């Protein structure tokens, strides 16, 4: 899979591209990442890429021409990459989540456009951007960090990326529930012991405990996820029990 990163600050990606799994995947041709510096597509000797907003107001806006040329140059390389999508990282975008990561992992190429300053000229969104994606309801100084998050979430889903290090975390959100708590040695830490069941070797009991912990954590922390979660009748019975626990005067046994 190919990622084109359209940015004013390509150096920001240096250590990220050298980091462990991404670095290995780049050398293993599991994925390819190309940096497209918007400044290389400016036309004046000051290499100006931003200008004052029409209508006044604070800050600057990324100019349409250099950005359009940068995106078109990215698209121009290897136009045969059929399944391609151009995505602008912006707080006004659709929240990024695991289902979007799974969707992107099926593409041949993802062109990620990193905004800066107050944002990009809207005519870029109208002409060259397929969709806008937000990392969350907060304001960053640039789209580079969200782009790194998208690359990492998508790359982990590519065949050959995780290799032996396949993780349970892949399940997180894929069946709509939060993950179960993890423990490792020592079995007693600052007076806190690892739950007995995890030391029992009884894998059926362990799986039941882990499923219940996923249901309880999702119920307590992200009840909004339960509507979409893939639940069994046993799951629903357990959730009903949690509900009954909430009733005033109900006994509270944290199993
Ligand atoms: C952002 C976000 C974000 C806003 C203006 C960069 C900044 C500047 N991108 N999810 N939250 N972007 O805050 O994706 O263009």
């Amino acid at each position: 899979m190919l990622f084109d990163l359209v940015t004013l600050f390509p150096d920001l990606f240096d250590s990220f591209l050298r980091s462990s799994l991404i670095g290995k995947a780049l050398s293993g041709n599991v994925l390819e990442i190309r940096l497209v510096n918007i400044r290389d597509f400016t036309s004046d000797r000051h290499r100006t890429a931003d200008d004052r907003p029409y209508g006044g107001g604070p800050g600057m806006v990324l100019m349409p021409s250099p950005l359009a040329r940068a995106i078109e140059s990215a698209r121009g390389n290897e136009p045969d990459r059929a399944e391609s999508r151009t995505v602008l990282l912006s707080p006004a975008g659709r929240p990024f989540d695991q289902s979007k990561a799974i969707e992107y992992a099926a593409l041949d190429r993802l062109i990620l456009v990193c905004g800066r300053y107050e944002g990009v000229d809207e005519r870029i969104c109208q002409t060259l951007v397929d969709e806008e994606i937000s990392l969350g309801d907060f304001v960053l100084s640039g789209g580079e960090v969200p782009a790194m998050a998208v690359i990492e979430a998508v790359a982990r889903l590519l065949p050959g990326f995780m290799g032996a290090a396949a993780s349970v975390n892949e399940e997180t959100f894929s069946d709509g529930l939060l993950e179960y708590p993890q423990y490792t040695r020592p079995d007693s830490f600052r007076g806190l012991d690892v739950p007995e069941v995890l030391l029992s070797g009884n894998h059926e009991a362990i799986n039941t405990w882990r499923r219940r912990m996923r249901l309880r954590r999702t119920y307590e922390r992200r009840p909004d996820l339960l509507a979409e979660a893939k639940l069994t009748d046993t799951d629903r019975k357990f959730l009903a029990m949690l509900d009954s626990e909430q009733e005033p005067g109900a006994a509270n046994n944290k199993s």
Side-chain angles (χ1 to χ4, degrees):
M1 180 170 183
L2 168 63
F3 292 89
D4 289 289
L5 306 177
V6 178
T7 172
L8 263 181
F9 300 98
D11 307 351
L12 266 177
F13 293 92
D14 283 359
S15 60
F16 173 74
L17 299 183
R18 280 198 307 280
S19 65
S20 63
L21 287 172
I22 297 279
K24 258 209 293 292
L26 286 170
S27 49
N29 294 332
V30 171
L31 57 86
E32 196 184 338
I33 297 180
R34 283 202 293 229
L35 294 164
V36 180
N37 188 338
I38 299 167
R39 206 150 310 271
D40 296 343
F41 298 86
T42 55
S43 52
D44 67 319
R45 63 192 177 79
H46 301 299
R47 292 162 62 80
T48 309
D50 61 305
D51 201 343
R52 286 178 291 103
Y54 273 120
M60 302 293 271
V61 175
L62 281 181
M63 297 157 63
S65 311
L67 192 46
R69 286 194 288 269
I71 294 170
E72 285 157 349
S73 88
R75 283 185 176 171
N77 313 345
E78 300 187 41
D80 58 345
R81 299 252 181 175
E83 286 307 306
S84 176
R85 188 95 48 92
T86 302
V87 172
L88 170 66
L89 290 308
S90 139
R94 173 203 183 277
F96 182 64
D97 60 12
Q98 192 69 9
S99 66
K100 189 52 81 171
I102 292 164
E103 184 187 322
Y104 287 165
L107 298 171
D108 299 319
R109 160 205 293 217
L110 202 50
I111 299 174
L112 296 177
V113 181
C114 304
R116 275 277 154 177
Y117 315 117
E118 299 313 307
V120 308
D121 185 288
E122 185 61 19
R123 292 163 288 186
I124 292 293
C125 307
Q126 292 159 343
T127 56
L128 290 166
V129 168
D130 297 319
E131 65 181 320
E132 295 186 36
I133 289 285
S134 172
L135 196 64
D137 299 341
F138 42 82
V139 180
L140 303 168
S141 305
E144 286 78 11
V145 169
M148 292 179 203
V150 169
I151 293 169
E152 184 145 317
V154 173
R156 294 166 62 82
L157 302 168
L158 300 176
F161 182 86
M162 296 297 288
S167 87
V168 293
N169 273 332
E170 270 12 279
E171 286 166 32
T172 306
F173 301 116
S174 44
D175 63 357
L177 295 175
L178 299 183
E179 254 327 304
Y180 51 79
Q182 295 282 5
Y183 296 84
T184 186
R185 287 180 296 185
D187 56 15
S188 185
F189 172 74
R190 297 186 180 174
L192 298 171
D193 297 335
V194 171
E196 275 306 311
V197 64
L198 297 180
L199 308 174
S200 68
N202 175 340
H203 292 292
E204 194 194 337
I206 290 169
N207 291 339
T208 303
W209 179 86
R210 283 176 168 173
R211 184 72 183 176
R212 287 184 169 180
M213 288 309 285
R214 298 187 69 196
L215 291 163
R216 179 182 288 280
R217 283 156 73 99
T218 309
Y219 177 89
E220 289 166 355
R221 302 178 188 196
R222 293 292 308 280
D224 57 297
L225 293 174
L226 289 172
E228 302 301 313
K230 299 188 192 75
L231 301 175
T232 66
D233 293 348
T234 313
D235 294 337
R236 290 193 184 79
K237 286 197 193 73
F238 182 73
L239 290 168
M241 185 275 288
L242 294 180
D243 263 340
S244 64
E245 265 184 5
Q246 305 311 313
E247 271 120 39
N252 200 338
N253 57 357
K254 281 248 180 251
S255 64

